[in-house]
């Protein structure tokens, strides 16, 4: 507790930004060396694309990223604790390397691959996404990662594959929260194949230009910014392509509260938390929650003709 | 003004200590970056805990022949109301800034909020009628009104049950404690578990009431 800082002692946003600017300058200076080193895509270099969500170090609405200290200090990670401040300490010694991800199911090219190889194999993008937790708070997070689409194209799902099922790590010795057998561990999440193939869907490996911290889901996690945060499963061990809609951990626990789609939607109330408004971490008051978390234009076609109240 | 008895002072200290402990940690920034969340949880848990402690006084008083506990009952009941008030104000003012466009739909689509609100209003009536003059002048009415505490407790426990996500065992433990406290009010059960007081019990009582 003695190490906890008061709000006004936290390094101001400007310092983070100048630090980042410094890092970028450094990258330009060493670019010759980088060229010699066979040009692996830089983690810090934003990849140019038409997608407005990755335009720079603000989201497309101009919102600054949440402080790094808050992103790494306030996390929802029931594998460690239901208290959002505790995973930071409890996850400190969590072993994230070596780490392999097993990819299988109805694919013609199943594989077991290390996270290091995944990072080397695919272009790493920088994306500033809003993260809206189902519990009514939100952040803006500068992620680094690769598009899930890239991986899916490599493993070649067969015609039977309609959904992607993700499974988190099960290691109660390292994850004290998994000793609580109220929850059907390991964590499971799922996406429809077209959701998984969407340009916005990211496999994240870093935040703020640094590798993911254990409490943020190291070494590899999903990020689906138009869905509630719990869809973005952390510390992934298995990815399976399946025919049937997977049952996620939260669906299994409380189907009336958590649906498969879990798209951010201010018009579909949750029995516990406000979905019409949210507390952006670092801001003083609440703000309105946006349909699909503000990614309506990019993702609405995925759900055309669907009743979002039924398919919550 | 009459000097308060030792049991009253001890009870108030016990009631205020959790708040002091929380406020110190709060001021140190221990609940950043979202202190409102922790204030909501803390004040709610404290309100329920002191309500159950208040309800525990009467059966414990009978079972252990500790008549002095009657004074703790009032202190814990009032403490419960103050924590509940802080809880509600945190939600309405700190969290939602009294913005009715957000708050009204919340109360419309979340029954557990109505349970909590009803319980708070019951506790408010109990707190307002807890002054000694009211109790003395209208002892029958007072007795009737203060039976509402059972309804308030049940509402607040259900409010807690629905407010907790995932693992609800803690809420079930609170409900179990409430059930045990109710059972302990049955005269037949009381006569079975009662421990007869002796001279030392008497002395403890006298000291606490002094």
């Amino acid at each position: 507790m003695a190490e906890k800082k008061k709000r006004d002692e936290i390094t101001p946003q400007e310092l983070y930004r100048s630090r980042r600017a410094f890092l970028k300058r450094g990258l330009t200076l060493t670019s010759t060396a980088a060229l010699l080193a066979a040009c692996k895509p830089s983690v810090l270099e934003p990849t140019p694309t038409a997608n407005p969500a990755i335009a720079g170090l603000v989201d497309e609405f101009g919102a600054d990223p949440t402080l790094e200290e808050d992103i790494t200090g306030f996390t929802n990670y029931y594998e460690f604790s239901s208290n959002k401040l505790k995973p930071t300490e409890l996850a400190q010694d969590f072993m994230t390397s070596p780490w392999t991800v097993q990819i299988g199911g109805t694919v013609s090219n199943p594989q077991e691959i290390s996270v290091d190889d995944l990072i080397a194999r695919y272009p790493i993008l920088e994306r500033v996404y809003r993260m809206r937790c189902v519990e009514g708070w939100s952040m803006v997070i500068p992620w680094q990662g690769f598009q899930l689409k890239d991986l899916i194209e490599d493993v070649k799902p067969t015609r039977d594959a309609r959904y992607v099922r993700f499974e988190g790590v099960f290691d109660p010795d390292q994850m004290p929260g998994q000793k609580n057998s109220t929850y059907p561990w390991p964590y499971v999440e799922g996406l429809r194949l077209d959701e998984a193939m969407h340009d916005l869907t990211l496999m994240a490996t870093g935040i703020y230009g640094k590798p993911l911290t254990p409490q943020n889901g190291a070494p590899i996690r999903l990020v689906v910014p138009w869905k509630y945060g719990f869809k973005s499963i952390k510390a992934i061990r298995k990815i399976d392509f399946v025919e049937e809609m997977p049952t996620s951990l939260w669906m299994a626990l409380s189907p009336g509260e958590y649906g498969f789609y879990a798209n951010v939607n201010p018009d579909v109330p949750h029995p516990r938390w406000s979905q019409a408004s949210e507390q952006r971490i670092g801001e003083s008051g609440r703000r309105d929650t946006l349909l699909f978390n503000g990614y309506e234009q990019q993702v609405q076609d995925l759900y055309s003709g669907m009743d979002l109240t039924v398919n919550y | 003004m009459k000097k308060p008895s030792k049991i009253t002072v001890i009870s108030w200290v016990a009631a205020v200590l959790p708040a002091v402990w929380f406020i110190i940690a709060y001021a140190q920034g221990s609940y950043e970056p979202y202190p409102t969340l922790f204030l909501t949880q803390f004040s709610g848990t404290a309100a329920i805990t002191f309500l159950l402690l208040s309800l525990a006084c009467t059966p414990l008083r009978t079972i252990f022949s500790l008549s002095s506990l009657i004074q703790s009952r009032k202190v814990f009941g009032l403490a419960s109301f103050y924590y509940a008030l802080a809880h509600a104000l945190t939600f309405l003012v700190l969290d939602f800034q009294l913005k009715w466009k957000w708050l009204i739909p919340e109360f419309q689509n979340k029954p557990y909020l109505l349970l909590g609100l009803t319980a708070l209003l019951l506790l408010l009536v109990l707190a307002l009628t807890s002054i000694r003059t009211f109790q003395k002048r209208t002892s029958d009415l007072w007795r009737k009104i203060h039976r509402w505490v059972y309804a308030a407790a049940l509402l607040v426990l259900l409010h807690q049950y629905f407010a907790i996500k995932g693992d609800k065992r803690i809420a079930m433990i609170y409900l179990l404690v409430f059930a045990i406290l109710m059972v302990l009010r049955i005269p037949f059960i009381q006569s079975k578990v009662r421990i007869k007081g002796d001279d030392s019990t008497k002395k403890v009582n006298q000291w606490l009431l002094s």
Side-chain angles (χ1 to χ4, degrees), chain B residues 7-106:
Chain B
I7 184 73
T8 306
V9 173
I10 292 169
S11 305
W12 271 120
V13 169
V16 170
L17 264 182
V20 171
W21 166 80
F22 184 86
I23 289 166
I24 289 173
Y26 194 101
Q28 284 177 336
S30 304
Y31 302 114
E32 294 294 344
Y34 192 6
T36 309
L37 172 71
F38 292 90
L39 181 55
T40 306
Q41 290 172 350
F42 163 75
S43 53
T45 307
I48 296 182
T49 308
F50 280 106
L51 193 56
L52 289 186
L53 280 173
S54 179
L55 285 171
C57 289
T58 301
L60 293 182
R61 184 184 96 177
T62 319
I63 290 163
F64 296 105
S65 306
L66 281 170
S67 56
S68 49
L69 283 177
I70 192 84
Q71 301 199 5
S72 305
R73 182 176 78 172
K74 178 175 172 178
V75 174
F76 292 158
L78 280 171
S80 172
F81 168 69
Y82 291 134
Y83 280 116
L85 189 64
H87 181 69
L89 290 176
T90 303
F91 174 74
L92 296 170
V93 183
L94 278 185
D95 201 353
F96 281 83
Q97 290 122 20
L98 293 176
K99 295 237 171 92
W100 302 110
K101 68 157 181 167
W102 288 328
L103 278 167
I104 290 166
E106 289 302 290

Side-chain angles (χ1 to χ4, degrees), chain A:
Chain A
M1 205 154 81
E3 284 163 44
K4 272 277 166 194
K5 288 178 183 165
K6 270 191 208 169
R7 195 128 204 113
D8 53 0
E9 288 170 5
I10 291 168
T11 316
Q13 193 74 45
E14 290 71 33
L15 272 185
Y16 274 111
R17 313 185 114 242
S18 60
R19 199 197 119 265
R20 292 192 47 81
F22 170 79
L23 282 177
K24 276 188 185 170
R25 271 199 299 279
L27 265 163
T28 323
L29 286 172
T30 54
S31 58
T32 332
L35 271 173
L36 290 170
C39 286
K40 204 172 111 180
S42 155
V43 167
L44 284 168
E45 215 89 87
T47 307
T49 155
N51 194 319
I54 59 173
L57 258 188
V58 288
D59 73 2
E60 71 275 26
F61 300 132
D64 286 325
T66 305
L67 291 175
E68 186 181 1
E69 179 157 340
D70 292 348
I71 296 173
T72 57
F74 186 88
T75 57
N76 222 347
Y77 208 169
Y78 277 62
E79 281 84 337
F80 289 99
S81 169
S82 60
N83 180 319
K84 287 156 210 10
L85 300 175
K86 286 193 175 155
T88 306
E89 205 190 318
L90 291 171
Q92 224 162 41
D93 300 321
F94 182 65
M95 287 286 291
T96 57
S97 176
W99 191 284
T100 54
V101 182
Q102 210 180 12
I103 305 157
T106 55
V107 293
S108 46
N109 188 16
Q111 43 196 285
E112 197 170 344
I113 180 166
S114 77
V115 170
D116 292 338
D117 289 343
L118 283 170
I119 292 172
R121 195 199 278 176
Y122 301 114
I124 299 295
L125 315 172
E126 170 133 14
R127 295 210 165 164
V128 182
Y129 282 160
R130 293 173 291 286
M131 160 76 79
R132 170 59 156 84
C133 178
V134 72
E135 298 175 13
W137 51 271
S138 65
M139 292 183 175
V140 178
I141 304 178
W143 300 103
Q144 290 80 42
F146 58 89
Q147 287 185 315
L148 179 56
K149 179 172 84 170
D150 291 347
L151 176 62
I152 293 176
E153 280 163 2
D154 272 356
V155 296
K156 297 188 175 57
T158 65
R159 278 174 52 202
D160 291 336
R162 291 187 55 224
Y163 295 92
V164 189
R165 180 187 182 276
F166 303 86
E167 194 177 296
V169 64
F170 181 68
D171 190 350
D173 288 339
Q174 288 200 81
M175 297 176 135
Q178 286 187 336
K179 293 193 173 108
N180 183 345
S181 53
T182 315
Y183 301 96
W185 305 113
Y187 204 91
V188 170
E189 261 309 336
L191 293 174
R192 224 168 51 193
L193 189 59
D194 56 347
E195 297 176 321
M197 289 290 290
H198 195 277
D199 276 351
L200 289 176
T201 306
L202 204 66
M203 296 297 286
T205 53
I207 291 177
Y208 264 113
K210 299 170 191 166
L212 282 181
T213 63
Q215 67 270 25
N216 289 119
I220 190 163
R221 66 171 294 171
L222 182 69
V223 180
V224 195
W226 71 92
K227 293 176 180 284
Y228 291 117
F230 67 85
K231 291 296 288 183
S232 295
I233 177 174
K234 293 171 166 176
I236 297 168
R237 273 285 195 216
K238 274 179 78 179
I239 302 174
D240 283 306
F241 292 77
V242 292
E243 237 177 303
E244 302 288 324
M245 180 184 281
T247 304
S248 74
L249 177 135
W250 290 112
M251 283 164 76
L253 204 64
S254 188
E257 287 179 41
Y258 309 101
F260 174 78
Y261 288 97
N263 293 317
V264 176
N265 191 335
D267 300 322
V268 177
H270 185 278
R272 195 167 304 116
W273 307 283
S274 170
Q275 302 308 31
S277 67
E278 67 197 54
Q279 175 65 52
R280 176 73 54 85
I281 298 297
E283 288 184 349
S284 60
R286 294 178 84 86
R287 50 160 71 217
D288 286 318
T289 290
L290 303 173
L291 181 60
F292 294 116
N293 204 19
Y295 300 97
E296 186 181 357
Q297 290 205 331
Q298 293 98 315
V299 301
Q300 61 186 350
D301 289 347
L302 292 171
Y303 310 104
S304 54
M306 271 174 70
D307 184 346
L308 297 174
T309 320
V310 178
N311 298 290
Y312 54 92

Side-chain angles (χ1 to χ4, degrees), chain B residues 18-191:
Chain B
V20 171
W21 166 80
F22 184 86
I23 289 166
I24 289 173
Y26 194 101
Q28 284 177 336
S30 304
Y31 302 114
E32 294 294 344
Y34 192 6
T36 309
L37 172 71
F38 292 90
L39 181 55
T40 306
Q41 290 172 350
F42 163 75
S43 53
T45 307
I48 296 182
T49 308
F50 280 106
L51 193 56
L52 289 186
L53 280 173
S54 179
L55 285 171
C57 289
T58 301
L60 293 182
R61 184 184 96 177
T62 319
I63 290 163
F64 296 105
S65 306
L66 281 170
S67 56
S68 49
L69 283 177
I70 192 84
Q71 301 199 5
S72 305
R73 182 176 78 172
K74 178 175 172 178
V75 174
F76 292 158
L78 280 171
S80 172
F81 168 69
Y82 291 134
Y83 280 116
L85 189 64
H87 181 69
L89 290 176
T90 303
F91 174 74
L92 296 170
V93 183
L94 278 185
D95 201 353
F96 281 83
Q97 290 122 20
L98 293 176
K99 295 237 171 92
W100 302 110
K101 68 157 181 167
W102 288 328
L103 278 167
I104 290 166
E106 289 302 290
F107 281 97
Q108 283 169 338
N109 64 41
K110 293 180 178 51
Y112 88 99
L113 288 180
L114 292 176
L115 296 178
L117 183 68
T118 312
L120 179 68
L121 294 176
L122 289 177
L123 289 179
L124 172 70
V125 173
L126 301 191
L128 290 175
T129 57
S130 69
I131 49 168
R132 199 180 283 269
T133 30
F134 183 90
Q135 185 184 355
K136 280 204 171 140
R137 276 198 205 154
T138 64
S139 60
D140 277 353
L141 180 65
W142 182 89
R143 215 178 285 274
K144 263 185 201 157
I145 291 176
H146 281 250
R147 285 203 186 112
W148 295 358
V149 71
Y150 306 117
L154 191 61
L155 291 175
V156 112
L157 288 165
L158 292 174
H159 168 79
Q160 181 195 37
Y161 182 86
F162 292 119
I164 289 178
K165 168 184 178 180
D167 185 356
K168 291 179 184 286
R169 281 179 300 182
I170 188 76
M172 290 195 262
I173 290 169
Y174 273 90
L175 275 161
L176 183 67
V177 169
F178 176 67
I180 291 168
L181 290 175
M182 292 303 104
V183 169
L184 285 178
R185 279 161 196 270
I186 301 169
F188 171 76
I189 306 278
Q190 272 185 354
S191 67

